[in-house]
Amino acid sequence: MKSKILGSLLFWIVVAILLGIVCSLFFPEWLARVFVTFNGLFANFIGFFVPVLIFALIAPAIAGLGKGAGKWLGVTAGIAYASTLVSGLIAWGTASVLYPTLLGNRTLNTDVADPEAGGLAPYFEVEMAAPLAVMSALLLAFVIGIAMTSVKSTTLYRVLDELQSVIMKVVTSFVIPLLPIYIFGTFLNLGMNDNLGSTMAAFGTVLVLSVVMTIVIILLLYVVAGVVAGRNPLTALGNMLPAYFTALGTSSSAATIPVTYASALKNKVDENVAGFVIPLGATIHLSGSMMKITLYALAIVYMGQMDIAPAQILGFLLLLGIMMVAAPGVPGGAIMAAVGLLQANLGFDESAVSLMIAAYIVVDSFGTAANVTGDGAIALIVNRFAAGRIEGYMLDEEHELADAPSDGGRATLK
């Protein structure tokens, strides 16, 4: 149990936040600037790395999703995307209605790295230009991925698959281990900037709201699924509770697939439909993640008094539903995949992005639980029309995913 806790990213994120707060009370400025310098370098690396990450993960994912599922791939992907997008729209509407009351007159200085705004200056900076823009990476991944569904290029697929493995190695061995230090530096800087109290108070409110809203989106999904499939929504949701609590404990859609699959069968979903929809949903259905990211992003926009047009927010939501397909199989993968959009569409700086990562990971498991439970609702909807029409997608019972670390892990279809 002790080793499991020490190996948890969530544990180290919490430790980093607490240490950042405590150390801000007594750290000398010269020592704090060491961590501010690290944050600047790490943020620049993330800006360099994100477009490569997007291409390396999305291109092979699209190429793989296009094989053998025919029209039901399109139907399932369309339902999953619609669910994710509607979740974002609901979050946007909720934020628009509730934030003026919940957040009141609280303000957030998102540019805390600016010395003139009370932050600490780094000792030095190193520019790291990205090899291509975020949108260029996304478009290139789509063009190549879609083309590969028609052109049977085994060699190219192997190259992309190996590139994905290399990029995942960078994420798991370099980016993720350094995240706690990055977040420590952010909260250290915030604390020494006298901006931490109001920020945490505001995010505490948004945290509770995000948990409540993930439950709301699950209920809405099962109401719709119940109407379409002619099932009692509460009974169907009750059968999916084992999947919900498994995901809550593992923070992993992939690791929860066997439980989600078994729960879907309890709802009398056809075995072939469940074997097709559940692993696919673990990759492309992220309504819970969309809810959390949108609520936190709009909280920063509101408190930072950022001038963001409605068209920018809508564009952010439309693209985020696609971008999160690239979420790597690591804790907090969805927010890492969304970093580029937060910067490009909403104008977030490194400090705002760091706050987003910290806030997201703290409640990561609730979003994951909403994602996988929603997969069961999508399975019910698809089953209404596809039962007996999908063949050969039985989930391999011996395919073990228990060690898959987080949301967005690629599931194998049989």
Side-chain angles (χ1 to χ4, degrees):
M1 177 63 71
K2 182 178 179 180
S3 60
K4 186 176 181 180
I5 293 175
L6 292 178
S8 167
L9 177 62
L10 175 58
F11 171 78
W12 290 111
I13 291 296
V14 172
V15 169
I17 292 173
L18 295 177
L19 281 179
I21 295 171
V22 173
C23 291
S24 70
L25 301 176
F26 62 86
F27 260 33
E29 182 177 318
W30 67 266
L31 180 56
R33 289 180 62 192
V34 172
F35 291 95
V36 172
T37 302
F38 168 82
N39 273 26
L41 295 174
F42 188 76
N44 287 345
F45 174 79
I46 291 295
F48 159 82
F49 184 66
V50 162
V52 182
L53 172 73
I54 289 169
F55 175 78
L57 296 179
I58 287 185
I62 293 176
L65 292 178
K67 296 179 180 178
K71 67 178 182 179
W72 298 114
L73 169 67
V75 170
T76 306
I79 295 173
Y81 180 74
S83 172
T84 301
L85 181 59
V86 167
S87 177
L89 293 173
I90 291 174
W92 184 11
T94 301
S96 299
V97 173
L98 296 183
Y99 279 180
T101 300
L102 290 179
L103 302 182
N105 295 320
R106 292 191 181 106
T107 59
L108 172 67
N109 177 15
T110 55
D111 194 18
V112 296
D114 183 358
E116 296 179 359
L120 300 174
Y123 284 112
F124 62 89
E125 298 179 353
V126 177
E127 294 296 327
M128 304 179 194
L132 69 169
V134 170
M135 283 307 302
S136 298
L138 181 62
L139 290 174
L140 183 63
F142 265 78
V143 169
I144 292 179
I146 292 172
M148 284 177 61
T149 64
S150 300
V151 178
K152 308 300 181 183
S153 177
T154 304
T155 301
L156 183 56
Y157 190 86
R158 184 180 295 113
V159 169
L160 289 179
D161 189 54
E162 291 180 358
L163 175 62
Q164 182 184 51
S165 299
V166 171
I167 295 302
M168 285 292 294
K169 184 65 175 177
V170 175
V171 171
T172 56
S173 300
F174 180 75
V175 176
I176 294 300
L178 291 179
L179 276 179
I181 301 176
Y182 181 49
I183 291 170
F184 168 81
T186 296
F187 280 84
L188 176 67
N189 198 10
L190 279 174
M192 299 185 74
N193 196 34
D194 298 323
N195 196 35
L196 184 60
S198 59
T199 300
M200 290 307 297
F203 269 102
T205 302
V206 179
L207 184 150
V208 174
L209 177 63
S210 69
V211 172
V212 171
M213 290 306 298
T214 57
I215 297 174
V216 169
I217 196 64
I218 291 173
L219 293 174
L220 289 176
L221 277 170
Y222 276 87
V223 168
V224 173
V227 171
V228 173
R231 296 293 307 278
N232 184 317
L234 295 180
T235 301
L237 181 56
N239 289 333
M240 294 299 300
L241 288 181
Y244 181 88
F245 286 106
T246 300
L248 202 62
T250 63
S251 295
S252 171
S253 290
T256 311
I257 286 176
V259 180
T260 311
Y261 175 74
S263 298
L265 295 182
K266 291 181 180 179
N267 281 330
K268 299 181 180 179
V269 174
D270 180 84
E271 290 182 343
N272 287 325
V273 173
F276 168 67
V277 173
I278 297 304
L280 182 59
T283 303
I284 66 175
H285 179 233
L286 295 148
S287 57
S289 299
M290 171 69 88
M291 177 64 70
K292 291 190 303 157
I293 290 175
T294 303
L295 286 174
Y296 276 108
L298 294 180
I300 289 178
V301 168
Y302 180 87
M303 291 187 293
Q305 299 178 342
M306 300 168 66
D307 186 18
I308 305 295
Q312 288 177 270
I313 298 175
L314 181 59
F316 171 75
L317 297 179
L318 291 170
L319 291 174
L320 183 59
I322 300 171
M323 193 75 79
M324 286 191 300
V325 174
V330 293
I335 188 62
M336 292 301 296
V339 165
L341 281 178
L342 291 169
Q343 295 172 328
N345 285 55
L346 300 184
F348 279 26
D349 61 14
E350 61 180 75
S351 196
V353 168
S354 179
L355 284 172
M356 282 289 299
I357 293 173
Y360 182 90
I361 290 177
V362 167
V363 291
D364 186 19
S365 59
F366 287 96
T368 302
N371 294 341
V372 302
T373 308
D375 294 344
I378 293 176
L380 277 171
I381 296 173
V382 175
N383 186 72
R384 169 66 177 79
F385 306 101
R389 300 181 182 181
I390 295 180
E391 298 180 359
Y393 284 91
M394 289 287 290
L395 189 66
D396 185 355
E397 295 179 356
E398 295 181 358
H399 182 58
E400 297 183 358
L401 292 164
D403 294 329
S406 181
D407 234 5
R410 308 299 178 200
T412 300
L413 296 179
K414 283 282 288 182

